[in-house]
Amino acid sequence: MLIGAIVVIVAVGVVGTLASRNLAEAEAVNDASRTADLLAEAVVQPALLDGATTGQAAAMAKIDAAVRAHVLDDAEIVRVKLWSPDGVIVYSDEARLIGQQFALGEDEREVFTAPQLHAGVSDLDAPENVHERGGGPMLEVYRPVWTPAGNPMLFEIYFRYDDVRDRSTALFRGFGGVLLTSILLLVVLLVPVLWRLLDRLREGQGQRERLLQKALDASEEERRRIAGTLHDGVVQDLVGVSYLLTGAAQRAAATGGQVGSVSEILEQASGTVRSGIGSLRSLLVDIYPPSLESAGVIAALEDLAGTARSRNLQVVAHLEDCPGLDADGERLVYRVARECLLNSVRHSAATSIRISLQPSGNGDSTLEIADDGKGFDVLPTLRHAPAGHFGLAVMADTVAAAGAQLQYRSAPGAGTAIKLRVPGLRR
């Protein structure tokens, strides 16, 4: 959000600066055009006599006096010209141009048929500009004027473009000040809003992490309670029933005769109960391993490996002591290992699994679990978990909340491998 706001502010500043400069330059040109138009209306046309079209001395003297007194007194103006419709320069403050004839451009000829004001930057390459060259580009403004008899003439005036630039710069500073003030005001208004939004995001993230931790703690407590209830209740009852059935089967077998069938039934029932006890004990290890609290994470992982082996999976375990793991780290390692083994058993159709736990640099610990199952597309599955695969997302959230790193490597038909890196002791 901060980067987005900065990008928007910079973009507004750049676009606003360019627009302000262009607007200032256009306004400076318009100012010069209005000046030329005013001079034509108030100075040149009132001084224009009918004899100017034929170069009469009195008419020329009057227009020259008006131009030098009221037009050329402005230091911004460099040259003044009066043209006849056939391209003859009737008057100019540069006497060498008077009487010379040049071809008029299309825009200049159009002024005589459609009177209007034209302004533009002149590159001074035309032959009639030979005496204006050497001082840089100029702003050329022209419009029609008329003699008292109604004969049209072209009034042309040249401004120093440096003066136009100076005027443009002055205008731009005014526009730029307004723009800068507006941007600063926008920043002042956005900062508390962005700060509040970021604060809410941090608060929401913290609340989410707390809720996740509470859910994990509640799940752990519930697993402990269920495991204790099963172990102290149903399993013990089944063990007692198994002993009774075994004794009854032995006594029935000892009596011989027709009770042989009863002996076989009792023996089968006793075997079924023993098988159920084994399954319940495996389930107890899955739900909550007492070895994790008493014997440590290596013993708990060995129990998980044994449970996987009881389900006809080949399991190779390479487990080393990791001094950098505290109690929280051991629980995280066990949770990830249990979830991965359950996924391998339920979903991957794997035949072999490799488990590795070993210390790495800086006191960190690394758990790696790989199977030869059917694999899956990692990113689509994590983003849109199908039914029965929500454990992957929960596991990722759990690892992230603990400050650890989890990597998946899998593809359809290529098996699955996960790598968990747990940071060193957090005491």
Side-chain angles (χ1 to χ4, degrees):
M1 292 179 64
L2 286 174
I3 292 174
I6 291 172
V7 169
V8 169
I9 290 172
V10 170
V12 170
V14 171
V15 173
T17 299
L18 294 176
S20 297
R21 182 169 292 279
N22 291 335
L23 181 61
E25 186 169 358
E27 187 62 25
V29 171
N30 289 337
D31 285 348
S33 300
R34 286 192 292 269
T35 299
D37 193 38
L38 181 62
L39 290 173
E41 288 287 341
V43 177
V44 176
Q45 187 153 317
L48 197 58
L49 300 177
D50 290 327
T53 58
T54 59
Q56 291 181 0
M60 292 297 98
K62 184 176 181 181
I63 190 67
D64 185 63
V67 166
R68 295 187 183 281
H70 303 291
V71 177
L72 294 178
D73 62 337
D74 189 340
E76 296 181 5
I77 299 174
V78 176
R79 184 75 66 234
V80 176
K81 298 175 186 177
L82 274 174
W83 297 73
S84 66
D86 56 358
V88 175
I89 298 179
V90 177
Y91 169 80
S92 174
D93 62 292
E94 173 54 61
R96 289 173 291 181
L97 292 173
I98 298 175
Q100 295 191 36
Q101 186 175 17
F102 302 97
L104 293 175
E106 182 179 351
D107 291 339
E108 293 167 327
R109 292 195 304 269
E110 186 179 348
V111 167
F112 292 103
T113 57
Q116 55 186 312
L117 183 72
H118 278 268
V121 179
S122 175
D123 54 12
L124 304 177
D125 288 337
E128 67 268 20
N129 297 127
V130 65
H131 299 294
E132 288 86 53
R133 295 172 190 164
M138 295 186 184
L139 179 65
E140 179 184 1
V141 184
Y142 53 89
R143 55 151 287 176
V145 292
W146 293 268
T147 65
N151 297 317
M153 301 184 75
L154 181 69
F155 171 64
E156 188 176 37
I157 189 170
Y158 289 81
F159 292 86
R160 298 183 190 277
Y161 202 74
D162 288 342
D163 296 325
V164 174
R165 286 200 186 100
D166 293 341
R167 174 63 175 158
S168 172
T169 301
L171 290 172
F172 171 69
R173 287 172 181 167
F175 291 138
V178 174
L179 176 64
L180 180 60
T181 302
S182 300
I183 291 177
L184 291 177
L185 181 60
L186 177 62
V187 171
V188 170
L189 292 176
L190 282 179
V191 165
V193 175
L194 290 175
W195 185 263
R196 180 59 179 163
L197 287 175
L198 292 174
D199 188 58
R200 288 190 175 183
L201 285 175
R202 287 192 294 267
E203 183 179 346
Q205 179 68 18
Q207 185 178 10
R208 181 173 177 272
E209 292 177 357
R210 289 192 296 272
L211 289 175
L212 178 61
Q213 187 60 47
K214 287 182 180 179
L216 292 173
D217 293 342
S219 173
E220 194 73 18
E221 182 63 28
E222 187 65 13
R223 287 174 180 272
R224 186 185 290 110
R225 187 187 66 80
I226 293 173
T229 301
L230 288 175
H231 183 272
D232 297 336
V234 178
V235 172
Q236 298 303 322
D237 293 342
L238 288 176
V239 170
V241 172
S242 174
Y243 289 154
L244 290 176
L245 288 174
T246 301
Q250 291 173 352
R251 288 193 297 273
T255 60
Q258 298 180 351
V259 296
S261 59
V262 177
S263 173
E264 293 176 0
I265 293 172
L266 291 174
E267 186 62 37
Q268 291 176 359
S270 177
T272 300
V273 170
R274 285 194 298 272
S275 177
I277 292 171
S279 298
L280 281 174
R281 282 175 172 163
S282 296
L283 179 61
L284 287 175
V285 172
D286 287 344
I287 293 175
Y288 187 78
S291 56
L292 180 61
E293 298 294 336
S294 59
V297 68
I298 293 181
L301 293 177
E302 289 285 4
D303 289 342
L304 284 178
T307 302
R309 293 187 186 100
S310 69
R311 295 171 180 171
N312 298 321
L313 286 173
Q314 296 181 358
V315 181
V316 176
H318 178 69
L319 308 175
E320 299 181 21
D321 184 41
C322 297
L325 279 178
D326 58 6
D328 292 337
E330 289 186 348
R331 282 193 290 269
L332 179 63
V333 167
Y334 178 77
R335 286 170 180 165
V336 172
R338 180 181 64 202
E339 184 65 31
C340 292
L341 288 175
L342 287 176
N343 288 337
S344 296
V345 171
R346 294 173 181 173
H347 306 297
S348 72
T351 60
S352 65
I353 301 175
R354 179 176 55 83
I355 305 174
S356 170
L357 176 65
Q358 55 188 355
S360 52
N362 301 322
D364 296 351
S365 304
T366 302
L367 170 71
E368 296 186 53
I369 299 179
D371 66 37
D372 61 351
K374 57 186 181 181
F376 62 95
D377 287 325
V378 176
L379 290 179
T381 303
L382 290 177
R383 290 173 179 169
H384 306 286
H389 291 74
F390 291 104
L392 292 176
V394 174
M395 182 166 63
D397 288 343
T398 303
V399 170
Q405 297 177 351
L406 184 66
Q407 297 177 349
Y408 290 95
R409 187 178 70 253
S410 183
T416 301
I418 70 99
K419 183 177 181 179
L420 171 69
R421 189 179 183 91
V422 183
L425 279 173
R426 295 159 291 171
R427 299 184 185 279

